[in-house]
Amino acid sequence: MSKEGIQINRLLNEQQMNGKVGLFAHVTIAPGAVLDDHTHHGETETYHILAGEGVYRDNGTDCPAKPGDTFFCEDGGTHGIRCVSQTPLEFMALIIKA
């Protein structure tokens, strides 16, 4: 899956996820690009920041995102992230089905 300025490299296939994981991926967001706010239903999502800097939006509240930070979006929560650094923002994304 990719959107302008966003590269999602899926690391597990459907068989490996065994119906329990919705996504395990390395995500790269280009400088200035945004992964729009979205809501999770019946699942949670975790982002672990690897490189670059961003702003993580958690249910309407902005938080700085830097390497080593981990963000958790609960079932029913809304989140998004944007790259604010001159280098790409890279993170691991994990969706677990509830």
Side-chain angles (χ1 to χ4, degrees):
M1 172 185 206
S2 77
K3 178 183 166 187
E4 188 173 336
I6 299 173
Q7 178 69 38
I8 300 174
N9 181 23
R10 294 175 179 267
L11 301 173
L12 296 177
N13 63 37
E14 291 295 323
Q15 183 179 7
Q16 292 167 323
M17 293 188 293
N18 195 29
K20 298 174 184 172
V21 175
L23 175 75
F24 181 57
H26 178 261
V27 180
T28 303
I29 301 179
V34 176
L35 180 59
D36 294 327
D37 288 3
H38 54 284
T39 303
H40 287 274
H41 302 284
E43 62 190 20
T44 63
E45 186 168 23
T46 302
Y47 292 168
H48 180 73
I49 310 300
L50 301 172
E53 293 183 12
V55 175
Y56 178 81
R57 178 167 284 218
D58 180 22
N59 293 301
T61 301
D62 289 345
C63 309
K66 63 186 182 326
D69 290 345
T70 301
F71 300 96
F72 180 76
C73 181
E74 295 185 17
D75 185 8
T78 299
H79 69 149
I81 194 165
R82 70 181 186 270
C83 180
V84 297
S85 57
Q86 297 298 314
T87 58
L89 176 64
E90 297 182 45
F91 59 93
M92 301 303 297
L94 174 64
I95 295 176
I96 298 175
K97 296 180 181 182

